[in-house]
Amino acid sequence: MFKTHYRIERKSITLAIAIIVVASIGGLMEIAPLFTIDETVEHDPNMRLYTPLELAGRNIYIREGCYACHSQMIRTLQDEVDRYGPYSLAVESKYDHPMLWGSKRTGPDLARVGGKYSDQWHTAHLNNPRDVVPQSIMPRYDWLSQTELRTQDLGDHLRAQRTVGVPYTDAMIANARADAIAQASPGDADEEALANRYGKATQIRTFDGDPRTVSEMDAIVAYLQVLGKLSDATQPKGK
Amino acid sequence: MVSNLTVGERQGALAILIVLTLCGLVMAAAAAGHGDPMEMHGYLVMLFSLGVMAILLRGFLAPPPSEARLASYYDDPIKVGIIIAMIWAVFGMIIGDWVAWLLAYPDATFDAAWASFGRMRPAHTSGVIFGFGGNALIATSFHVMQRTSRARLPDQLSPWFVLLGYNLFCLIGISGYFMGVTQSKEYAEPEWYADIWLVVVWVAYFILYMRTLARRKEPHIYVANWYYLAFILVVAILHIVNNLAVPVSFAGAKSYSLFAGVQDAMTQWWYGHNAVAFFLTAGFLGMMYYYLPKRAQRPIYSYRMSIVGFWGITFFYMWAGSHHLHYTALPEWVQTLGMTFSLMLLVPSWIAAANALLTLNGAWDRVRDDATLRFMMMAAVFYGLSTFEGSFMAIRPVNALSHYTDWTIAHVHAGVLGWVSLIVFGSFYALIPWLWKRERMYSPTLVEVHFWLALSGTLVYVFSMWNSGIIQGLMWRTYNDSGTLTYSFLDSVVAMHPYYVARAIGGLLFLSGTLVGCYNMWRTIRWSSAISAAAPDELAPPELLPAE
């Protein structure tokens, strides 16, 4: 070994190639099989997709760095299951480009926060967490209610998502903007079409309590309310 | 500085800057139509290029440099790199300490989106890792590759391209976070156009390194260079794979990562852990393997230990990333592999640390008297401690407790404050008098003060986060007799408050040390009265090669 090295360290190109080869093995052995082994991700034929409004909310979650304080990955440990609900399965983030599993819990896990609180609670909490949880150290996000959501390019977003593998249909892409507005404006004519495209369970409400505009608050609350609800496969079946 | 460039190099630089300015213009124009943050980045690229162009044009018509320059090393970019690194250090640490206070007093910030925790935290991590650490690596690598090869850099344009181009990447990335432009992948947050630019810069860096090595007058490539090379090569692989993404539009900042869910998580932590390995470890080991023996005036203790350490680190690290995903939806066989290799990793890590410490045998009196050498010694100690802690935390049941808690933060900071920062400060204190041809640092007392501030800051930081992390982990899993969880999540948040205050104080200590260091460096550079005897390595003396 030392003899070989003694030769290699006299040739810069050989040394560089040796480094690349030695360093690549680990990644190849661990990552490549994840794409080919079928059992890696469970199957759920009824998996729903994020609606355009929820996807926009997810992008706000990314933009504001919520993932720096919140995980979305309940581990297979008893106390986590007791605290947050059934542990997370791979299929639940199958369409998450990128995943938001997180690495730090300064705040609680959010993988199953959907439906845990009312829309009003979330809006008040995001406007100022200390209004509802006096001891909270979460930042305030009061600008979200005042900022109108950008909806005009949601179609492009869905198309990019389709390019990376999320099965959005042509109709979903074409109607992305209308669907986003419809989801936050109950009574809208497009409501039916939206539910047909994304499933009956799609939540159509004025999330931020203000029916006049579609704000960023609408989007992020819609996203939070759907967390943990896109797949029914929360309990491992047949294991 | 410009007057040292040949006429051809000046023209080349001008051409590159014109192209860059145009790129900025195109970015700004494309994004302006729909109010995308990429517009600001277009202006930033333009402003940056025009600023550099202004400096270039001021010296453009100066007489060409004499041939005599080829007989010495080319150190201008190293000097600038050191200064830039220290500016980033101050920036990154101020933001870091600010967000640390925010966790204790959440409203201690401006009422604006850019100043909220989630946007500032990546500005802290990128500021210190890429701004401070990256510039320190680039600057010292330029120094080490020339000295150990006994060869001058092959040209004078490419080192500037690498250094300034890299800083343009940092500026785009970090200014983006404040505007909400991020991919959310930890330590890989910058968006697609910044990532592409970094690839260009990195290729130039690699070619520069290989060209310098090709000109070497030593038959052997010294250990430090193996590590710098591994740093450059592996960071390139990691960066490209983890940042594969599809932009929503070429006229906007947003992109969607190519991978999803579990594959994305594994790729991200393969990247994330090896950013620690090859950015924060390999590169700085290169630094240690040069400056520590040089300052101690002792050859490296063992050549064989260097070899085993190097290949062990290069091979084992790449398997270890999956320990970030214990008990998650990642298949268990990958988790087990990650844990196994993390444990094996301790062997080469400790070999490298021991090699450094044993090099000091016979020089311990100097460690006592010379704070610069003590910085490096302490760095090696922290390197040994934090690699041990890392392997320990990779054990599944330990990770069950430590993951998601502040214990991880303690571990990371033992590494980046105790190891990375101390080795950089030690190396800079050794290097600055050599480069600027001063007898010594302006004030050895202030080096001493900096050492104690940095060490006490690190200890306060790490101990408070160990405490809070372990308490958090225990509170989350404590059950009543009746079989229900004892504490609400909020109980654990409240319990953290004193530790968060202590941590912010520790950070403040460390930051004050850095400011003292900046002052001392500044005075040394401006200290014209004390031009020294020839710097120790000017006329290409024989290098300290490892013992056989």
Side-chain angles (χ1 to χ4, degrees), chain B residues 93 124-125 128-130 132-133 187 275-276 279-281 284 379 382-383 386 389 408-425 454 458 461-462 510:
Chain B
M93 290 177 197
H124 159 61
T125 52
V128 289
I129 299 175
F130 298 119
F132 171 47
Y187 321 117
V276 173
F279 210 101
L280 296 177
T281 304
F284 293 95
F382 269 105
Y383 176 63
S386 46
E389 188 188 26
T408 310
I409 315 299
H411 170 59
V412 172
H413 283 81
V416 291
L417 300 179
W419 153 237
V420 172
S421 299
L422 294 194
I423 194 73
V424 172
F425 292 139
T458 306
Y461 191 114
V462 171
F510 198 92

Side-chain angles (χ1 to χ4, degrees), chain B residues 447-463:
Chain B
V447 179
E448 195 72 45
V449 170
H450 182 185
F451 175 81
W452 290 108
L453 282 171
L455 181 62
S456 55
T458 306
L459 291 176
V460 172
Y461 191 114
V462 171
F463 273 94

Side-chain angles (χ1 to χ4, degrees), chain A residues 85-102:
Chain A
Y87 58 80
S88 301
L89 299 179
V91 63
E92 294 180 78
S93 47
K94 180 177 163 188
Y95 294 134
D96 284 4
H97 296 265
M99 57 86 207
L100 293 171
W101 292 10

Side-chain angles (χ1 to χ4, degrees), chain A residues 6 9, chain B residues 147-150 216-226 289-290 293-294 297-303 306 359 541-548:
Chain A
Y6 194 77
E9 70 165 44
Chain B
R147 285 349 185 248
T148 56
S149 305
R150 286 204 280 134
R216 73 185 182 279
K217 298 192 187 67
E218 289 287 339
H220 291 271
I221 300 173
Y222 181 65
V223 207
N225 292 308
W226 315 341
Y289 267 108
Y290 182 78
K294 197 84 192 172
Q297 293 176 334
R298 309 250 324 143
I300 277 291
Y301 174 73
S302 161
Y303 173 61
S306 312
T359 300
E543 282 304 322
L544 291 167
L545 283 173
E548 293 293 322

Side-chain angles (χ1 to χ4, degrees), chain A residues 1-2 5-6 8-20 22-31 33-35 37 39-42 55 58-59 62-69 71-80 82-84 87-91 93-109 128 130 133-143 150 152-153 156-158 160-161 163-165, chain B residues 34-36 102-104 106-107 111-113 116-119 121-122 179-186 189 206 210 213-214 216 219-221 226 229-230 233-234 237 246-248 254 256-270 278 303-304 307-308 310-311 314-315 318-322 325-331 333-334 337-338 399-400 403-406 409 472 475-477 479 485 487-490 493-494 500 548:
Chain A
M1 168 181 186
F2 297 113
H5 182 90
Y6 194 77
I8 293 181
E9 70 165 44
R10 299 167 65 118
K11 301 197 183 69
S12 52
I13 306 269
T14 318
L15 181 64
I17 294 171
I19 291 172
I20 294 180
V22 170
S24 302
I25 300 171
L28 284 174
M29 299 292 279
E30 287 186 347
I31 299 178
L34 297 181
F35 289 93
I37 299 180
E39 290 88 70
T40 305
V41 181
E42 307 82 0
L55 184 70
R58 190 170 198 272
N59 288 338
I62 290 173
R63 185 187 77 194
E64 300 304 340
C66 311
Y67 61 86
C69 288
S71 58
Q72 291 187 21
M73 172 46 62
I74 303 168
R75 295 182 295 171
T76 54
L77 298 166
Q78 190 57 48
D79 59 290
E80 300 217 348
D82 287 346
R83 189 179 293 278
Y84 301 116
Y87 58 80
S88 301
L89 299 179
V91 63
S93 47
K94 180 177 163 188
Y95 294 134
D96 284 4
H97 296 265
M99 57 86 207
L100 293 171
W101 292 10
S103 61
K104 177 71 175 50
R105 282 186 188 148
T106 304
D109 189 277
N128 185 0
R130 279 157 293 290
V133 185
Q135 288 154 313
S136 177
I137 57 168
M138 177 164 140
R140 303 193 298 174
Y141 292 98
D142 41 1
W143 63 88
R150 250 180 90 106
Q152 54 270 34
D153 52 4
D156 296 335
H157 282 259
L158 263 52
Q161 287 262 314
T163 312
V164 293
Chain B
H34 48 278
D36 191 277
L102 281 184
L103 290 183
D107 288 320
D111 199 7
S116 85
F117 181 92
R119 293 198 189 186
R121 183 187 179 274
M179 299 188 284
V181 177
T182 170
Q183 297 191 101
S184 82
K185 294 190 149 199
E186 284 181 67
E189 291 94 346
F206 176 65
M210 295 306 274
L213 288 182
R216 73 185 182 279
H220 291 271
I221 300 173
W226 315 341
L229 258 185
L233 287 169
V234 182
I237 300 176
V246 173
V248 171
K254 179 77 186 164
Y256 288 107
S257 97
L258 188 57
F259 307 132
V262 61
Q263 291 94 356
D264 190 40
M266 184 58 219
T267 311
Q268 158 58 26
W269 288 110
W270 165 80
F278 289 89
Y303 173 61
R304 297 196 161 189
I307 296 176
V308 177
F310 175 74
W311 290 108
T314 307
F315 182 66
M318 296 298 267
W319 297 76
S322 50
L325 300 169
H326 279 330
Y327 303 99
T328 66
L330 180 75
W333 63 268
V334 196
L337 270 179
N399 195 269
H403 194 55
Y404 292 137
T405 74
D406 287 322
I409 315 299
Q472 244 171 359
M475 285 178 86
W476 292 345
R477 58 159 66 173
Y479 281 89
L485 290 164
Y487 300 105
S488 71
F489 190 89
L490 195 64
V493 174
V494 173
Y500 284 167
E548 293 293 322

